[in-house]
Amino acid sequence: MRKKEAIAIIITLLLGMTAGCAPGDISRYTARAQQAGKEIFEGETAPAFAENETAAEPGSETENGTAAEPGSEMESGAEESGEMVTNTGAEPETEALEADGAAETENTAGADEAQEAEQSELPAMMEAADERIREAVAQKAEAITGKLAGADVLSQEEQEALRAVLDSEAYDDSTLCLINSGRFDGQTEGSFLLFFDSTSLTARGKVSGELWFYGGKKAVKIMGEADFMRLEPIQCGGGTYMLSQIETDEKVIAQVYRVEDGKAAACFMGAVSIEQEGDELRVNYKADHIQYDPAKGWSGGEAEITYFYVPDGGNFAQIGIREMTEEQYLAYIQPDENDAEEIRFEREQEEKFYDTRQNEQEYRYSFFAIGDDRIGYRECRIGFADEDADENGHEVAEYRYCISKLEDGKLTQQCETLSGSGYYFGEWRQKEEELQKLSQIPPMYLKYRIDRAEQTLGTKEKAALQCVQKAQAYDADGLCFVLQADYDGDGEPETFAAIGRYDGPFGAPVCDLWFVSGEDPVLLAENLPVKSAFCFESGDTTLFLLEGYAVEGRKDRLYCVVEGKPQRCLENAAEIEIEENGDLMARMANEAGEMPRYYYVQGGQVTEYGSEEIDLKAILDYENGKALYKRLQKTAEALREELSCVRRENGLIQVMFTDEDGEVSYETYRVQDKALVLTDCGDAGCGIGTEEAAVTEEAEATEETKETEETKETEETEMTEENGKA
């Protein structure tokens, strides 16, 4: 038995000496020596070994590196150990134990740290992150924050969180961990842990990993494998939250995690980016409602729409939006009467919302306020061609928005402004409900509801509507525009009927156009956005005009009836207008900048008026011709454009301006009381008025200066003469 004791002690001493530890630390290896003794003596354990283990157990001094006093039996047994180890063949076992002890000593700073490392079973790269890894993490520190396990000192709570995750899931040696800890619920300590691949970080510069949360009880994975673009705690409204932004499957997702009752919950599902602005969050969502096609529905793009949120009871609430009128919006512009820039800004804003409406441009605006310090508007431009449509194009509506932050309660040109494409909903989470509300029929169209119209239509009109309903059924809450007349003059009425629905996103009825003569309805067109429909007389003929929207503005449809059959007139017209005398003016599609064309109707035929080119000096024959001629010459010279002139058979005179690129603008005049009156102009021609005003103002200013100088010179002469007399 004495021999067994001595061998056990020798094994212990050799293991400790090989590992390079101090004599006082030898007890750390007694457990391994005891195991070796068991194997040598087939499970038998010497009583003296237990005694030595107790005597050599290190205290606080031993942990600090102070050597413990060895027992006398340990000293005497050392002399016999060499022979016993050699004869028993225990040397290979001793070398294996020495290697284990050396590795353990190298990776730990003390006995307790080694034991903790064994318990946590950290992947190697978490235990000690090399310089290359630290530099890679540092480059991401601006967007992704946290303590790096193996590089930063972790608190006890952070170590507990780390162990809790590793107890749930194993990670290999290429894994790193960033930890963000704090009182996210305002009470207890919690930790967000990002486990990510070091290979991906150093090779691609991407932080690819998984996000966990530990709230003191259990570690829960809250985000699976993803590329993290941003991860940082934020302070907002007195609370602490975790902000993350990831990219997965070519999609960007931004979220804010809040903690309640030790559990993390994600806010702002569907957001693509989130920015903090004081105690507010600016949350951007993908603008999936940018363009609307009555035939296809909504389509989106790459744009983003911004909404604003504030903390509310541990969660977040969207800042309230309330509708405004145009007058209330403009009332926030309060220019200083001495500030020319502020006055100019006010006029620009008024023209933006007023002149476009007066000029019948297809823009529609609605106004709103966000909280107490932001105001904005939605802009809907209707009548555009869809790039993905066929050669004729589809009628689409495009949406934009603009939000301005007020300065001291005022809207100025210097105010911070956010703008972009997309429909701005009052409540993002309830956008589908809001879209449904858009399709509610406005009061102006209620009388055209099919169920109401049937009660007011005449007998023959009602019969025509019922004839169409037999061919194709329409809902009772749809719309119908029924226009009946003797279009071909044969004594029997014919009917044009536009029947369909009110399309809220497009902001107009969208109808199928039918023609009914007798009991045989004919479908002329489908899904036409309708602005208005009416019949009128021109010359000796009654015609039907449907005003709509499409490529390059309105897409109007003009029909006459010949021998009981509908015939479309001016098929390429984008816009048709009725003159005071019943003649027609039409602007052709795809002829932007060209002069409008003029037509008369006779015998059911629509014929264009002829024209002849005349010398510009012909306008000198009219009372105001001399002044007009002078102004036109100056304008053309200033714009470096060539002038030409034509006279239409209907008496109109048109002056054309042609620039170096061949683009044409025009001014149209009619004769009234022996003078020429401007009745119409192309876009460039309208701008000429501004040029004319500038030239006139400059001339008036020059004349005023000249008169002032002449007056001053006269006064000086008179004063000199008076002094001479004196």
Side-chain angles (χ1 to χ4, degrees):
M1 186 64 70
R2 185 68 176 175
K3 193 173 185 179
K4 295 180 181 180
E5 295 173 10
I7 291 175
I9 293 172
I10 291 300
I11 293 174
T12 302
L13 290 174
L14 287 175
L15 188 59
M17 292 172 64
T18 305
C21 68
D25 291 331
I26 197 169
S27 61
R28 294 186 54 223
Y29 302 95
T30 56
R32 294 181 182 274
Q34 184 179 20
Q35 181 63 32
K38 286 181 179 181
E39 294 178 359
I40 293 172
F41 301 110
E42 300 179 355
E44 296 183 17
T45 307
F49 188 88
E51 294 175 3
N52 289 333
E53 180 177 321
T54 303
E57 183 177 355
S60 59
E61 292 184 357
T62 303
E63 292 176 356
N64 293 330
T66 303
E69 291 290 334
S72 58
E73 292 184 1
M74 190 177 293
E75 289 180 351
S76 61
E79 297 177 358
E80 303 177 9
S81 61
E83 183 179 355
M84 292 294 292
V85 170
T86 303
N87 293 336
T88 57
E91 189 172 350
E93 180 69 20
T94 303
E95 290 177 353
L97 294 174
E98 288 174 353
D100 291 342
E104 189 172 2
T105 303
E106 181 179 351
N107 291 327
T108 58
D112 292 338
E113 292 179 2
Q115 292 173 0
E116 290 177 359
E118 286 183 345
Q119 292 174 2
S120 61
E121 297 181 355
L122 298 180
M125 296 192 71
M126 286 189 192
E127 295 180 14
D130 60 32
E131 192 63 29
R132 180 174 59 96
I133 294 298
R134 297 188 190 195
E135 291 178 359
V137 173
Q139 292 176 359
K140 297 290 183 180
E142 190 171 324
I144 300 179
T145 64
K147 288 185 179 180
L148 178 62
D152 298 316
V153 178
L154 304 183
S155 67
Q156 183 177 350
E157 290 82 3
E158 291 166 337
Q159 292 182 41
E160 290 177 357
L162 190 59
R163 292 192 190 99
V165 174
L166 294 175
D167 287 342
S168 300
E169 186 167 334
Y171 288 97
D172 60 29
D173 289 351
S174 65
T175 304
L176 299 176
C177 179
L178 280 174
I179 306 177
N180 285 278
S181 296
R183 300 186 185 279
F184 292 95
D185 61 358
Q187 298 176 356
T188 58
E189 191 84 4
S191 297
F192 287 89
L193 303 96
L194 175 60
F195 285 78
F196 61 99
D197 184 7
S198 63
T199 304
S200 176
L201 175 63
T202 55
R204 299 187 299 146
K206 290 189 175 182
V207 180
S208 300
E210 301 175 334
L211 186 62
W212 293 72
F213 177 74
Y214 176 72
K217 296 180 181 179
K218 182 181 179 182
V220 178
K221 185 188 296 185
I222 57 178
M223 177 62 66
E225 184 69 25
D227 291 334
F228 281 80
M229 305 167 61
R230 191 174 180 189
L231 183 68
E232 59 179 320
I234 59 173
Q235 302 288 330
C236 188
T240 304
Y241 307 89
M242 180 58 65
L243 171 61
S244 77
Q245 186 173 5
I246 66 170
E247 184 177 16
T248 176
D249 297 331
E250 299 182 355
K251 182 172 63 175
V252 176
I253 301 174
Q255 293 177 332
V256 169
Y257 291 96
R258 64 183 184 89
V259 177
E260 185 176 7
D261 297 331
K263 298 179 180 179
C267 305
F268 311 116
M269 302 298 291
V272 295
S273 63
I274 301 174
E275 299 293 336
Q276 185 177 5
E277 189 175 288
D279 282 340
E280 297 178 355
L281 292 183
R282 184 183 292 183
V283 182
N284 297 312
Y285 295 95
K286 181 181 178 181
D288 51 358
H289 295 82
I290 293 178
Q291 182 173 284
Y292 181 82
D293 187 329
K296 299 179 180 179
W298 285 101
S299 60
E302 299 300 323
E304 298 178 3
I305 296 187
T306 302
Y307 289 83
F308 301 88
Y309 293 81
V310 291
D312 181 25
N315 207 333
F316 293 90
Q318 182 180 330
I319 297 179
I321 297 177
R322 65 181 188 278
E323 296 296 326
M324 300 172 61
T325 64
E326 178 181 326
E327 291 73 18
Q328 290 173 329
Y329 181 91
L330 293 174
Y332 282 97
I333 307 176
Q334 304 165 9
D336 188 325
E337 60 182 7
N338 298 320
D339 193 324
E341 284 297 317
E342 289 187 357
I343 294 175
R344 181 185 61 80
F345 175 71
E346 181 183 40
R347 290 176 179 173
E348 287 180 353
Q349 294 297 299
E350 290 175 344
E351 292 172 357
K352 183 180 185 68
F353 307 126
Y354 181 76
D355 285 352
T356 53
R357 184 175 64 248
Q358 289 295 98
N359 293 333
E360 296 185 355
Q361 298 296 313
E362 300 306 332
Y363 288 86
R364 297 177 184 173
Y365 295 93
S366 58
F367 304 87
F368 55 88
I370 303 176
D372 298 325
D373 60 352
R374 290 185 179 89
I375 60 174
Y377 62 82
R378 305 181 188 92
E379 176 187 275
C380 175
R381 186 179 181 186
I382 59 179
F384 278 85
D386 187 349
E387 295 179 355
D388 298 328
D390 56 27
E391 59 183 3
N392 295 323
H394 284 303
E395 302 82 355
V396 301
E398 292 183 342
Y399 282 87
R400 294 182 58 82
Y401 72 95
C402 179
I403 300 173
S404 300
K405 189 170 185 178
L406 302 175
E407 294 182 359
D408 299 326
K410 290 177 56 176
L411 175 61
T412 67
Q413 192 171 8
Q414 288 71 37
C415 285
E416 178 189 351
T417 300
L418 293 171
S419 60
S421 299
Y423 185 88
Y424 197 89
F425 296 94
E427 172 58 64
W428 176 259
R429 291 177 297 181
Q430 300 175 359
K431 59 182 180 178
E432 298 305 325
E433 297 178 13
E434 191 166 335
L435 286 177
Q436 292 177 0
K437 291 180 180 179
L438 279 179
S439 296
Q440 293 179 356
I441 301 176
M444 62 182 293
Y445 290 120
L446 287 177
K447 65 180 179 180
Y448 297 106
R449 276 185 52 147
I450 293 177
D451 53 359
R452 296 191 184 186
E454 288 178 333
Q455 301 174 11
T456 58
L457 292 176
T459 302
K460 293 185 178 181
E461 293 172 332
K462 189 175 181 179
L465 177 59
Q466 292 174 347
C467 182
V468 173
Q469 286 278 53
K470 290 180 181 179
Q472 180 172 328
Y474 292 91
D475 295 335
D477 60 352
L479 300 177
C480 66
F481 303 88
V482 181
L483 294 155
Q484 194 173 82
D486 184 7
Y487 290 96
D488 58 0
D490 65 352
E492 291 294 329
E494 296 86 22
T495 304
F496 286 92
I499 308 175
R501 71 189 192 284
Y502 177 74
D503 197 310
F506 194 82
V510 175
C511 301
D512 300 330
L513 182 59
W514 295 81
F515 175 76
V516 183
S517 179
E519 296 183 357
D520 298 322
V522 178
L523 179 63
L524 301 177
E526 295 181 281
N527 293 321
L528 296 176
V530 176
K531 184 174 184 180
S532 64
F534 54 92
C535 57
F536 65 98
E537 293 184 0
S538 178
D540 58 355
T541 306
T542 301
L543 299 100
F544 170 79
L545 178 62
L546 181 77
E547 290 185 328
Y549 308 88
V551 182
E552 301 297 337
R554 286 209 313 260
K555 186 73 171 181
D556 297 342
R557 286 176 170 261
L558 180 67
Y559 290 90
C560 65
V561 178
V562 178
E563 296 180 356
K565 296 181 179 181
Q567 291 187 3
R568 187 176 176 186
C569 310
L570 306 179
E571 292 188 21
N572 198 36
E575 182 179 354
I576 300 173
E577 294 182 3
I578 304 171
E579 301 284 280
E580 293 181 359
N581 61 357
D583 287 347
L584 302 176
M585 181 185 75
R587 303 178 191 274
M588 296 298 152
N590 305 319
E591 291 186 2
E594 294 289 341
M595 295 181 298
R597 303 181 182 186
Y598 296 87
Y599 301 84
Y600 63 93
V601 182
Q602 186 175 10
Q605 299 294 322
V606 178
T607 307
E608 184 176 3
Y609 279 108
S611 63
E612 62 173 337
E613 187 172 350
I614 61 175
D615 192 307
L616 183 64
K617 291 184 179 180
I619 67 176
L620 296 174
D621 297 337
Y622 300 94
E623 291 184 354
N624 60 337
K626 185 176 181 181
L628 177 60
Y629 181 84
K630 184 178 180 181
R631 195 268 296 172
L632 291 172
Q633 290 285 2
K634 287 185 177 180
T635 301
E637 182 179 351
L639 299 177
R640 297 182 179 180
E641 295 179 336
E642 295 183 2
L643 284 172
S644 58
C645 186
V646 298
R647 178 187 284 118
R648 301 283 179 183
E649 288 183 350
N650 57 353
L652 296 178
I653 293 178
Q654 291 181 308
V655 179
M656 291 162 290
F657 299 80
T658 306
D659 63 17
E660 297 176 351
D661 298 327
E663 295 184 0
V664 179
S665 58
Y666 66 90
E667 294 182 1
T668 303
Y669 295 87
R670 61 181 173 84
V671 180
Q672 180 177 327
D673 299 329
K674 299 181 180 181
L676 295 176
V677 179
L678 181 67
T679 61
D680 185 32
C681 62
D683 292 338
C686 290
I688 290 173
T690 304
E691 181 71 24
E692 174 192 358
V695 173
T696 303
E697 290 174 359
E698 182 179 356
E700 292 175 351
T702 303
E703 188 67 23
E704 183 179 352
T705 302
K706 184 178 179 181
E707 292 176 356
T708 302
E709 291 177 351
E710 291 176 351
T711 302
K712 183 178 181 181
E713 184 178 351
T714 302
E715 291 175 351
E716 290 177 352
T717 302
E718 293 175 351
M719 184 176 295
T720 301
E721 292 176 352
E722 291 177 359
N723 291 336
K725 292 178 181 180

